Amino acid sequence: MSVPSTFRQQLLGTIPRLRRYARSLLIDAAAADDLVQTALERALSHWHQFDQQRDILVWVISIAHNAHMDTLRRSGRLSIMDPHELQTEQDLRGSDPGADVGLRMDLVAALQRLSIEQREPLLLVTVEELSYAECAEVLRIPIGTVMSRISRGRAALRALLDGRAPVPSAQPLRRVV
């Protein structure tokens, strides 16, 4: 069964935003690329299930979310990178990190410290610009739950970036440039 060229073109159009979401969610570029590959393979193999009335980006991100949840269930834990390891990895890449690498590193470290339940809807709504309803559809949770998770996630992120960790055992983030 061949995949229609219009579907392939639509799918190709989702790749940049799918990659951005996966990289924001997983932080690890290699793991994010694996997730994107898995989502695209699943989308291509199930192209006939796509409803043309839906937004293809929402559909593909839903597939990526489900693939990510499958991986978490298989591994039984979420891998968290220490901020010092993150800095070492950034140094090893050798690329120009931009004007304010410290702020970016603080943000990445703070995002990692958010629970996956808060990080996913926060990234989908703020970075991928999905509506709350689309986010609820992707995550298969009620829209009210999306709103409360985003609210708590923003508050926790703000506290982490201000050095006021919401979790008593968490260490405040420090920027070292």
Side-chain angles (χ1 to χ4, degrees):
M1 193 179 286
S2 71
V3 179
S5 63
T6 56
F7 178 82
R8 279 185 286 169
Q9 290 302 315
Q10 287 178 318
L11 190 60
L12 285 172
T14 67
I15 292 175
R17 290 185 66 190
L18 180 61
R19 287 188 78 214
R20 182 176 61 198
Y21 171 69
R23 286 181 179 224
S24 299
L25 178 65
L26 297 175
I27 310 303
D28 177 16
D33 288 343
D34 289 346
L35 178 61
V36 169
Q37 181 70 28
T38 300
L40 293 173
E41 286 175 6
R42 288 183 185 183
L44 283 170
S45 65
H46 298 286
W47 69 269
H48 57 279
Q49 294 176 349
F50 175 63
D51 178 5
Q52 291 291 330
Q53 302 300 320
R54 290 183 70 189
D55 182 352
I56 193 166
L57 179 66
V58 173
W59 186 67
V60 174
I61 287 179
S62 295
I63 292 170
H65 168 74
N66 291 336
H68 177 62
M69 296 309 292
D70 291 346
T71 302
L72 288 179
R73 279 190 288 275
R74 275 193 305 272
S75 70
R77 64 180 175 79
L78 176 65
S79 174
I80 306 269
M81 183 182 284
D82 182 79
H84 299 296
E85 291 175 22
L86 179 66
Q87 184 173 3
T88 302
E89 184 176 320
Q90 182 72 36
D91 291 342
L92 290 175
R93 287 186 190 159
S95 62
D96 179 22
D100 196 351
V101 68
L103 180 59
R104 186 176 315 151
M105 290 175 65
D106 288 349
L107 180 60
V108 168
L111 279 169
Q112 284 181 324
R113 292 175 68 183
L114 290 180
S115 71
I116 193 74
E117 289 81 15
Q118 291 175 349
R119 186 172 45 213
E120 281 183 320
L122 188 61
L123 292 173
L124 287 172
V125 169
T126 59
V127 176
E128 295 309 319
E129 299 177 348
L130 296 185
S131 69
Y132 285 3
E134 290 170 330
C135 181
E137 181 183 336
V138 167
L139 300 176
R140 297 182 184 182
I141 57 176
I143 194 168
T145 304
V146 168
M147 292 188 292
S148 65
R149 287 181 182 179
I150 289 172
S151 176
R152 287 193 312 272
R154 284 180 175 154
L157 196 57
R158 207 172 298 116
L160 285 164
L161 291 172
D162 288 344
R164 301 175 287 112
V167 181
S169 64
Q171 298 295 321
L173 296 174
R174 294 183 315 169
R175 182 187 306 177
V176 180
V177 180

